Amino acid sequence: MALSDSIKVRLREGQALVYAAQAEQRGVGIAAFIRDRLDQIDRVEEELASIRAAMIDMGETLDELRDRLADFGNSASAQVQPEPPIPNAVQIETLMLLRASASSQDMRIVWGELDRQEIKPWRGKVR
């Protein structure tokens, strides 16, 4: 890789000493060290821009889903409440094993959180 123009940069004395020590630890000159740091910053900024764009896309997708859900909720067919799915044997067994290993205090904490989120805890059917 051919290097082009040389530029002079003034650094604070403490900053120059820190960079020089870090460059020496890596076995490179201070100019190469600073050049590498600038390249790294450019890559991080590109990655952050990409993440920001992805987050904007996700936000737009969430807005679309929220709009669809609102439209669905307003439709006449949404007035009929579907039956909740019946848990299968593996789900029931897993739930029972987890509940058996949890203390009553753990269960109260979980049920409190479910109540806070307005979710009714599954208690199974009593026959």
Side-chain angles (χ1 to χ4, degrees), residues 51-116:
I51 291 170
R52 284 186 189 107
M55 290 181 71
I56 289 170
D57 288 345
M58 286 174 49
E60 291 170 357
T61 302
L62 285 174
D63 290 342
E64 287 176 23
L65 289 172
R66 191 175 15 256
D67 292 344
R68 285 184 188 174
L69 184 60
D71 291 344
F72 179 77
N74 293 332
S75 71
S77 63
Q79 303 305 321
V80 178
Q81 292 292 327
E83 284 290 320
I86 298 171
N88 65 37
V90 172
Q91 292 170 322
I92 294 170
E93 184 178 348
T94 303
L95 177 63
M96 291 174 75
L97 287 169
L98 287 170
R99 284 186 172 182
S101 65
S103 68
S104 58
Q105 182 179 358
D106 292 336
M107 294 301 292
R108 283 191 297 274
I109 291 169
V110 169
W111 285 336
E113 179 61 20
L114 289 173
D115 186 48
R116 186 186 73 77

Side-chain angles (χ1 to χ4, degrees), residues 7-13 15-16 19 34:
I7 56 173
K8 290 185 179 184
V9 177
R10 292 185 184 267
L11 300 172
R12 292 185 306 277
E13 185 176 331
Q15 189 179 26
Y19 286 167
I34 292 173

